[in-house]
């Protein structure tokens, strides 16, 4: 079945207790935002040909799974998350042959490839929506969610778009509204219609037959909506709240998100992907671990991203609670993320500059030690701060269509590779977003400096990979003193100093320090460990000395 088959290490289809294939449960993932990774044809936009040579960087770094953001034909109203054809490659990103070459090269390097599937909505220029809109009596009408206006006129209910404004747009011709949880150009599919389900089962097989190893499922928690489309209760009044994202969270999304029937979809997808030893990774944007667990009962999603760490306070108790809540709810299925193409970079969120960089790496050390699959978003390994994008060059619809929102451009500026035009991203005169960083933050500069963030991240991955306890041993949280947060996995301890003063701890017994996120000394046989502010360490129990 696999067209791009090439041998990969550890290929046997062994499953851990939680049903996650062994190849995934020991992996570290990496998100490639294709538009900003590498430009192969000098038009200022990243593409498949530009991604190809940089796969070596990912293998060198030590990641195992590469998730590529949507590259399908699209009018790019939401930069590819508005798909017009699920079985092609947008001309600006290349061709299907180019994609096949990326998969083949990745497999040669021992990397798995996960593609981003966008099932909640299509583009409004997708042939299904064009048919649905133009023929209210036709078969495609019910592919989307159409409703008459409310009895007094206006939208059928009070749901809001994530991107500002109501979640409904009126189609003058038919007098009905269609639902869109995102832009009006992203109409929501009707997942209660079995025809929509069969279309996607076919799409999954299309990519599996081309050799992909899994899917990152966009907005995985939202596919099914309340059958009666009831109004959502309000949590806070909207008066005076103008920021689109903030308005969205003023509402209790009881009826538009996290409907229990959504799991049935993943159960049927699971049967398909298992035939290919492939996996389902959900963009599960739920902040309550119980909601995450509902989508991972063992036969649904393999992995669900856990986003609450992106919003937690930098405080020891909050960090421990947020991390442990997810592993308790979903023992092996947590997708750990601290950055993505949708959020301000962690370095910026955690105080900026060196402080933000230390905190981000320290948190990574904990995430790399917990059960689940940690993901790195491109540039996170460089310790990038938010990119600088002048106001007149903002392009994200969230920013452009809402006066008060800064949008997501700052985390999407092109990847800095080295010296030269556009820091090696592109030889175009102008790139789609400006280059957001200085050359000192480029891959080439950081590679050359053994003390760089990049080399520290790479070393962390190398150390993690060698810790066999991570595959088998449970997590035991410690009641560490003061601002330390730590846990054991078998004979290893992972501990972070969240505070802003030096902290010491005697975990009992003797320990070798095998990784430090700030310092470099890796002492052996210590009974006490000291950590500078925002430093994390990994300790291994010392081998008993000669008697
Ligand atoms: C997801 C994507 C985001 C996109 C949205 C709508 O949250 O990560 O970039 O705008 O879905 O598809
Ligand atoms: Ca290009």
């Amino acid at each position: 079945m696999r067209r791009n088959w090439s041998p990969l290490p550890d290929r046997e289809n062994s499953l851990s207790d939680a049903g996650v294939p062994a190849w995934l449960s020991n992996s570290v993932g990496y998100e490639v935002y294709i538009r900003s990774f590498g430009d192969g044809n000098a038009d200022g936009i990243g593409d498949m040909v530009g991604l190809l040579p940089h796969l070596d960087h990912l293998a060198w770094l030590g990641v195992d799974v590469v998730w590529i953001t949507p590259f399908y034909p699209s009018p790019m109203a939401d930069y590819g998350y508005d798909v017009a054809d699920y079985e092609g490659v947008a001309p600006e990103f290349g061709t299907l042959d180019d994609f096949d070459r990326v998969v083949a090269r990745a497999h040669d390097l021992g990397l798995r490839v996960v593609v981003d599937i966008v099932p909640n909505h299509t583009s409004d220029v997708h042939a299904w929506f064009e048919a649905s809109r133009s023929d209210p009596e036709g078969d495609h009408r019910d592919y989307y969610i159409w409703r008459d206006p409310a009895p007094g006129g206006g939208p059928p209910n009070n749901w809001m778009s994530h991107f500002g404004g109501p979640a409904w747009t009126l189609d003058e011709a038919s007098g009905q509204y269609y639902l869109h949880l995102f832009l009006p150009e992203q109409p929501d599919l009707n997942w209660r219609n079995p025809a929509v389900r069969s279309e996607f089962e076919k799409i999954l097989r299309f990519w599996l037959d081309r050799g992909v190893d899994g899917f990152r499922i966009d907005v995985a928690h939202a596919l099914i909506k309340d059958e009666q489309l009831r109004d959502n209760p309000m949590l806070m009044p909207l008066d005076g709240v103008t920021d689109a994202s903030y308005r969205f969270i003023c509402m209790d999304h009881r009826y538009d998100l996290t409907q229990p029937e959504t799991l049935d979809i993943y159960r049927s997808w699971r049967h398909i992907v298992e035939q290919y030893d492939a996996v389902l990774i959900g963009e599960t944007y739920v902040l309550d671990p119980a909601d995450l667990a509902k989508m991972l009962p063992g036969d649904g999603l393999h992995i669900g991203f856990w986003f609450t760490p992106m919003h937690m306070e930098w405080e020891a108790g909050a960090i421990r609670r947020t991390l442990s809540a997810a592993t308790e709810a979903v023992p092996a299925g947590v997708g750990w993320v601290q950055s993505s193409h949708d959020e301000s970079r962690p370095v910026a969120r955690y105080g900026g500059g060196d402080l933000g960089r230390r905190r981000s790496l320290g948190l990574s050390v904990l995430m790399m030690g917990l059960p689940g699959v940690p993901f790195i978003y491109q540039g996170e390994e460089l310790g990038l701060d938010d990119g600088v994008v002048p106001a007149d060059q903002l392009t994200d619809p969230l920013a452009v269509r809402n006066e008060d929102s800064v949008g997501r451009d700052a985390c999407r500026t092109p990847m800095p590779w080295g010296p030269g035009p556009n820091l090696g991203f592109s030889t175009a005169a102008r790139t789609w977003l400006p280059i957001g960083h200085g050359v000192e933050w480029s891959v080439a500069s950081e590679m050359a400096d053994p003390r760089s963030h990049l080399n520290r991240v790479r070393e962390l991955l190398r150390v993690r990979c060698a810790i066999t306890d991570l595959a088998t041993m449970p997590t035991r949280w410690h009641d560490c003193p003061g601002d330390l947060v730590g846990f054991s996995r078998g004979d290893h301890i992972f501990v972070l100093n969240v505070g802003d003063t030096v902290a010491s701890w005697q975990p009992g017994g003797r320990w070798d320090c095998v990784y430090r996120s700030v310092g470099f000394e890796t002492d052996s046989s210590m009974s006490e460990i000291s950590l500078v502010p925002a430093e994390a360490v990994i300790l291994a129990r010392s081998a008993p000395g000669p008697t």
Side-chain angles (χ1 to χ4, degrees):
M1 291 284 248
R2 287 176 172 270
R3 274 195 30 194
N4 282 316
W5 172 255
S6 56
L8 284 162
D10 184 29
R11 189 69 208 186
E12 79 280 7
N13 187 13
S14 56
L15 299 178
S16 68
D17 292 347
V20 178
W23 69 259
L24 180 65
S25 58
N26 299 326
S27 291
V28 173
Y30 187 97
E31 177 188 355
V32 166
Y33 189 71
I34 186 157
R35 212 175 168 81
S36 290
F37 203 61
D39 174 14
N41 66 346
D43 66 353
I45 297 172
D47 49 49
M48 292 291 166
V49 169
L51 158 60
L52 197 58
H54 292 312
L55 289 170
D56 288 71
H57 166 70
L58 306 185
W60 173 85
L61 182 60
V63 302
D64 310 282
V65 178
V66 184
W67 146 33
I68 310 172
T69 55
F71 48 76
Y72 317 104
S74 161
M76 304 288 166
D78 189 19
Y79 291 108
Y81 283 97
D82 47 325
V83 179
D85 169 6
Y86 288 92
E87 296 183 357
V89 175
E92 65 200 281
F93 295 137
T95 63
L96 271 173
D97 283 346
D98 297 333
F99 172 77
D100 291 343
R101 273 195 287 279
V102 166
V103 175
R105 175 70 184 146
H107 284 171
D108 283 347
L109 289 167
L111 301 166
R112 310 269 173 167
V113 178
V114 164
V115 296
D116 206 321
I117 192 92
V118 188
N120 181 67
H121 43 265
T122 68
S123 159
D124 63 340
V125 306
H126 193 292
W128 301 336
F129 189 70
E130 289 184 340
S132 180
R133 184 176 359 217
S134 63
D135 183 2
E137 305 304 323
D139 288 348
H140 283 94
R141 185 65 166 186
D142 201 32
Y143 270 43
Y144 296 85
I145 300 176
W146 292 95
R147 284 296 181 280
D148 290 333
N157 68 19
N158 72 346
W159 295 1
M160 288 189 264
S161 154
H162 288 65
F163 289 162
W168 296 92
T169 289
L170 179 66
D171 172 52
E172 302 277 349
S174 67
Q176 285 198 310
Y177 283 84
Y178 66 89
L179 178 72
H180 52 88
L181 293 187
F182 294 87
L183 298 175
E185 294 94 326
Q186 293 168 298
D188 278 43
L189 284 161
N190 173 16
W191 276 91
R192 294 185 183 271
N193 180 350
V196 169
R197 296 192 185 211
S198 340
E199 297 279 9
F200 272 85
E201 292 181 1
K202 195 170 113 309
I203 293 162
L204 295 185
R205 287 188 193 278
F206 175 86
W207 292 105
L208 291 164
D209 286 339
R210 292 199 99 82
V212 307
D213 300 289
F215 299 93
R216 177 268 188 188
I217 304 158
D218 191 56
V219 211
H221 53 295
L223 270 47
I224 296 268
K225 278 79 182 178
D226 177 50
E227 199 151 24
Q228 301 164 49
L229 301 176
R230 279 170 278 189
D231 273 356
N232 280 326
M234 293 307 296
L235 295 169
M236 284 169 276
L238 287 175
D239 313 333
V241 182
T242 50
D243 179 86
S245 306
Y246 193 67
R247 284 175 71 86
F248 192 79
I249 59 168
C250 288
M251 186 173 256
D252 171 1
H253 291 275
R254 191 176 300 174
Y255 296 120
D256 56 342
L257 308 178
T258 56
Q259 303 302 297
E261 302 97 316
T262 305
L263 175 61
D264 300 340
I265 300 167
Y266 303 132
R267 287 195 161 129
S268 70
W269 288 15
R270 179 84 169 234
H271 288 301
I272 298 172
V273 298
E274 279 180 348
Q275 293 161 27
Y276 296 80
D277 190 23
V279 294
L280 301 174
I281 301 171
E283 189 212 12
T284 41
Y285 213 113
V286 294
L287 302 182
D288 181 341
D291 287 331
L292 183 65
K294 285 180 200 154
M295 283 178 281
L296 290 99
D299 59 353
L301 299 175
H302 290 94
I303 297 289
F305 284 142
W306 175 235
F307 290 100
T308 308
M310 287 186 176
H311 307 288
M312 70 191 175
E313 202 188 328
W314 190 263
E315 185 272 320
I319 293 176
R320 174 172 164 168
R321 274 193 307 280
T322 308
L323 301 184
S324 62
T327 45
E328 277 158 25
V330 186
V334 184
W336 296 105
V337 275
Q338 57 169 302
S339 65
S340 79
H341 65 286
D342 291 328
E343 302 284 341
S344 182
R345 287 192 177 270
V347 172
R349 293 201 317 267
Y350 295 143
D354 278 347
L355 175 67
R357 216 163 276 122
R358 282 184 182 197
R359 287 179 168 179
S360 169
L361 183 56
L363 183 59
S364 285
V365 172
L366 297 188
M367 290 180 166
M368 297 275 170
L370 288 167
V373 181
F375 275 78
I376 294 171
Y377 170 55
Q378 69 185 47
E380 186 181 326
E381 75 274 34
L382 300 171
L384 295 186
D385 211 320
D386 274 345
V388 179
V389 184
D392 62 349
Q393 290 180 52
L394 292 173
T395 68
D396 176 23
L398 196 51
V400 175
R401 301 192 193 188
N402 295 287
E403 263 178 28
D404 282 8
S405 172
V406 290
R408 301 165 294 179
D409 293 307
C411 62
R412 298 177 175 179
T413 56
M415 184 76 177
W417 291 103
N422 300 313
L423 299 186
F425 164 69
S426 169
T427 52
R430 192 182 161 91
T431 53
W432 81 281
L433 271 178
I435 303 301
H437 303 91
V439 69
E440 66 277 24
W441 301 110
S442 67
V443 173
S445 307
E446 292 205 31
M447 261 180 152
D449 173 5
R451 295 186 162 247
S452 68
H453 196 89
L454 175 62
N455 278 312
R456 287 181 184 277
V457 171
R458 183 175 183 236
E459 173 68 2
L460 174 60
L461 265 52
R462 192 193 64 74
V463 169
R464 176 187 193 269
C465 188
I467 301 179
T468 50
D469 278 351
L470 297 184
T472 51
M473 300 307 286
T475 310
R476 192 163 62 85
W477 289 89
H478 293 286
D479 290 320
C480 303
D483 292 321
L484 296 178
V485 178
F487 55 85
S488 291
R489 302 288 306 278
D491 285 331
H492 287 84
I493 290 179
F494 295 74
V495 57
L496 165 68
N497 179 8
V498 177
D500 48 19
T501 54
V502 175
S504 300
W505 180 37
Q506 295 183 341
R510 303 202 79 84
W511 299 86
D512 301 341
C513 180
V514 293
Y515 181 79
R516 269 188 187 278
S517 68
V518 180
F520 277 89
E521 323 73 45
T522 48
D523 299 330
S524 34
S525 200
M526 297 173 298
S527 56
E528 179 174 272
I529 175 83
S530 284
L531 294 94
V532 301
E535 184 172 45
V537 301
I538 304 176
L539 307 175
R541 191 181 295 282
S542 305
T547 48

